[in-house]
Amino acid sequence: MKAQVHVLDVKPEYRGRDFGGLLFGQAMEALTRRNDNMTVHCQLEAEENMQRFNRLIHFYKQLGCEMKPNAKIQYLYNNDGDTYRKVPMSIFLKNQTGQNREVSDLKCFLPIKFLEITGCDIELALEGASTNRQLSWLLADSGSGYMQFRTTMGHYLRAKTSGICDITDDPDSDINFFLYRMSDEDVDSDNLLVERVEGVQRKELWMIESVHGSFLTGDCGRLSFSVAPSFWQADDENLSLIYTTDTPPRRLHYRESWIKQTIVYVKEMKERYCNFLLAKMTLRQVIDLVRAIRCHPHNTQPTGASIRTLSFSSAEKARSEGLPDWVQLVALIHNLGVVISLLDTQTAADAEDGYNWTIASRSRVVGCAAPERASFSEYRKLNAEDQYYSTPQGIYDVNCGLENVLLSWSGPEYMYSFMKYNGALLPDEGFYMLRYFCLGDWHTHDEYKQLTNEKDENMKTFVSEFDSLRRSALTDIGEELPESECDRLWHEYYSL
């Protein structure tokens, strides 16, 4: 029996996802099933632009087609000024096309891409393969309460117990996944303020769990599975899943920060806490106390190194790089403001409700427009002052200097105020490091130019380098330091 493909077309907005291959495979499958006991000779003419020479021919060859021997190739000159050629091709079908594109059993599916935060495709690293493989994916409903990831070639994504990710043709393998969707709307439902505000961009994080209890991750630009939960940001506009280090607790923290951190709030917090009457403790007592607090506060796992370990690790990194003792001191104490969450019942209660102001997260200047690139800027309209202070200068004099602005209230801001109050013998560079390392929009992205002065500009490099040092220490941190090692470091280097 003979058949002819006349047109195969994909709308421009859906190109690049192998939908053409999917449509062709479906057509060939339909032909095969309709003529189950017959060999079907299907013909087509591949019409390609000469500027994309052999691209279309290669596409059809991957689908099992061959150029017809001794066929006459036609060259066409269209009104658009380009030259095209028509290449006769054919494929013989019997029972199966030879290409495993059986996706007709899907109840519903959605084309998706796995992307890094940079927008680059995340590839599949096949076991034993010398190079990673880039595939076009479909998110499919299995019809039994699970989700599946299939390629447009009909293969299934499979999670192996070893954590390796591969593809299989076997529908009975470990190809089913649980999908957990966490939307900003989940935490907005009880907040009337949020529901009233228009223009707030809500996002959704996905967590994809295999039947083995492992989680799909895109770490290092390749698909794999890990024991630790990983999250993907769902982008419905571009039909993509973007691998992110973001977590629902982190999003909640920044959302609450945008809501709460106003001029009134910052002044009230300064008035409440800057008398420093909560407790009287030695530095070592504070360091030991924050052993109860994890250094990765937004991590969804209940384990991890403590702030005490981070404090010593940061100081040790500064010492190993030969930095002055005052830099080592700033590195040692820069995160100790979190101790207030253990000493103050109101702060502890707020932390239980989802917002712990003592965490050293990215800060901003209140009383003026926050930069567009500010962390979690999609929440800015939740701030009651956003409409009143909509200029970069806001309530401040031009080039007044960062020492004269109000920063969002945080653990590092508390520690800076504490050191100033007690007359600590730090150089200006040390105070700048302690207060402004969280103000990344300034020291890394050169924002707040309307507010900064010459002194700020001279200090910027010191602050940026300190922030890089403490971030490096946080990234490199491993196991919790044992008591004996903390004692050794304290007595040998930091008790003087």
Side-chain angles (χ1 to χ4, degrees):
M1 177 183 175
K2 291 185 178 183
Q4 178 79 31
V5 175
H6 294 281
V7 177
L8 180 64
D9 187 43
V10 177
K11 292 183 177 181
E13 60 266 32
Y14 295 112
R15 290 173 187 170
R17 297 176 180 268
D18 194 31
F19 277 177
L22 178 62
L23 290 172
F24 186 85
Q26 289 289 84
M28 296 304 102
E29 182 185 344
L31 278 174
T32 302
R33 291 183 177 181
R34 183 180 300 175
N35 305 278
D36 191 39
N37 297 318
M38 301 177 62
T39 298
V40 180
H41 182 204
C42 183
Q43 302 179 77
L44 60 103
E45 289 185 324
E47 183 177 321
E48 67 175 6
N49 192 313
M50 290 294 289
Q51 294 184 3
R52 306 178 70 206
F53 186 76
N54 263 345
R55 289 277 297 273
L56 190 59
I57 305 303
H58 178 70
F59 166 76
Y60 281 117
K61 283 185 174 180
Q62 283 189 313
L63 300 174
C65 299
E66 296 292 340
M67 294 177 61
K68 295 175 69 173
N70 303 318
K72 183 179 179 181
I73 299 177
Q74 299 181 54
Y75 291 88
L76 309 172
Y77 301 93
N78 287 359
N79 293 331
D80 58 10
D82 290 336
T83 302
Y84 294 79
R85 66 170 184 165
K86 280 186 176 181
V87 181
M89 303 189 75
S90 63
I91 183 172
F92 287 90
L93 308 171
K94 187 174 183 180
N95 296 328
Q96 295 188 41
T97 64
Q99 303 293 320
N100 186 28
R101 288 181 174 265
E102 297 180 8
V103 294
S104 56
D105 61 320
L106 295 178
K107 306 300 181 186
C108 60
F109 65 88
L110 185 72
I112 63 164
K113 286 186 176 181
F114 292 109
L115 299 178
E116 297 183 76
I117 196 67
T118 58
C120 296
D121 286 295
I122 294 178
E123 298 179 334
L124 178 64
L126 296 178
E127 192 172 13
S130 57
T131 58
N132 293 351
R133 185 170 178 182
Q134 184 174 328
L135 299 165
S136 296
W137 295 98
L138 305 173
L139 174 62
D141 183 355
S142 70
S144 57
Y146 297 99
M147 302 304 295
Q148 296 173 348
F149 294 94
R150 304 193 189 184
T151 71
T152 51
M153 295 291 292
H155 304 299
Y156 300 88
L157 181 71
R158 175 173 61 177
K160 302 181 76 172
T161 55
S162 61
I164 291 175
C165 200
D166 71 354
I167 54 176
T168 180
D169 298 335
D170 183 4
D172 295 324
S173 299
D174 300 328
I175 61 170
N176 292 320
F177 299 93
F178 301 98
L179 175 61
Y180 303 96
R181 300 169 60 181
M182 288 144 281
S183 171
D184 290 345
E185 294 181 354
D186 296 336
V187 293
D188 288 349
S189 58
D190 296 327
N191 193 319
L192 297 180
L193 168 66
V194 174
E195 291 184 345
R196 286 199 305 266
V197 176
E198 295 183 359
V200 177
Q201 181 186 4
R202 293 176 173 84
K203 295 185 179 180
E204 185 171 274
L205 296 182
W206 288 13
M207 187 168 63
I208 301 162
E209 184 182 16
S210 74
V211 292
H212 305 301
S214 55
F215 298 90
L216 183 66
T217 179
D219 197 21
C220 300
R222 62 185 181 86
L223 292 176
S224 60
F225 287 89
S226 67
V227 176
S230 292
F231 294 91
W232 299 81
Q233 183 178 305
D235 185 345
D236 55 355
E237 290 185 6
N238 298 311
L239 300 177
S240 302
L241 289 177
I242 304 169
Y243 177 66
T244 178
T245 56
D246 204 357
T247 64
R250 185 166 179 257
R251 292 194 62 79
L252 175 60
H253 172 83
Y254 276 94
R255 188 199 70 143
E256 292 299 304
S257 177
W258 276 100
I259 293 174
K260 295 180 183 296
Q261 295 282 356
T262 63
I263 293 176
V264 173
Y265 177 85
V266 171
K267 288 183 175 180
E268 286 180 349
M269 298 299 273
K270 281 180 173 288
E271 184 177 352
R272 181 187 302 174
Y273 292 105
C274 286
N275 55 16
F276 307 106
L277 297 177
L278 284 174
K280 186 175 182 178
M281 306 174 69
T282 66
L283 177 57
R284 179 61 196 269
Q285 286 174 326
V286 173
I287 291 175
D288 285 341
L289 190 58
V290 296
R291 177 177 49 181
I293 303 175
R294 291 181 297 154
C295 67
H296 294 284
H298 304 310
N299 198 323
T300 54
Q301 289 187 295
T303 59
S306 70
I307 292 291
R308 182 177 76 165
T309 292
L310 176 60
S311 294
F312 279 120
S313 298
S314 300
E316 279 296 278
K317 190 164 187 64
R319 188 177 69 83
S320 68
E321 293 185 6
L323 297 174
D325 55 0
W326 58 266
V327 178
Q328 298 172 38
L329 174 62
V330 173
L332 185 70
I333 69 172
H334 77 281
N335 236 322
L336 295 185
V338 296
V339 74
I340 304 302
S341 64
L342 301 175
L343 300 176
D344 181 58
T345 54
Q346 182 60 55
T347 302
D350 291 343
E352 284 293 321
D353 289 337
Y355 183 60
N356 184 352
W357 62 260
T358 68
I359 292 173
S361 54
R362 281 309 190 200
S363 63
R364 56 187 173 85
V365 179
V366 298
C368 67
E372 287 299 320
R373 69 178 307 125
S375 296
F376 294 86
S377 185
E378 63 265 26
Y379 292 133
R380 69 170 60 241
K381 290 188 179 297
L382 301 181
N383 189 284
E385 295 178 345
D386 179 71
Q387 59 181 317
Y388 301 112
Y389 306 117
S390 57
T391 65
Q393 182 181 337
I395 64 173
Y396 306 105
D397 295 332
V398 176
N399 303 126
C400 62
L402 293 180
E403 289 180 304
N404 297 306
V405 304
L406 292 172
L407 289 188
S408 50
W409 184 249
S410 64
E413 182 73 352
Y414 174 87
M415 285 303 300
Y416 165 80
S417 302
F418 172 81
M419 297 293 279
K420 278 286 189 179
Y421 179 86
N422 286 281
L425 299 178
L426 281 177
D428 285 348
E429 292 85 349
F431 282 112
Y432 262 79
M433 290 175 182
L434 188 56
R435 188 184 191 199
Y436 301 111
F437 76 85
C438 285
L439 194 62
D441 289 329
W442 165 62
H443 64 68
T444 300
H445 302 298
D446 208 27
E447 300 283 359
Y448 297 111
K449 285 186 175 182
Q450 290 83 356
L451 305 179
T452 56
N453 58 21
E454 183 178 357
K455 182 179 180 180
D456 299 327
E457 293 306 307
N458 292 336
M459 294 291 177
K460 183 183 291 184
T461 300
F462 294 100
V463 180
S464 180
E465 289 180 352
F466 175 74
D467 186 51
S468 296
L469 179 143
R470 68 108 195 170
R471 282 177 171 271
S472 177
L474 183 62
T475 300
D476 295 342
I477 204 165
E479 299 290 328
E480 176 75 2
L481 288 178
E483 194 75 30
S484 58
E485 180 63 8
C486 292
D487 286 340
R488 184 188 71 80
L489 292 173
W490 175 257
H491 291 298
E492 289 188 13
Y493 302 111
Y494 305 112
S495 63
L496 301 178

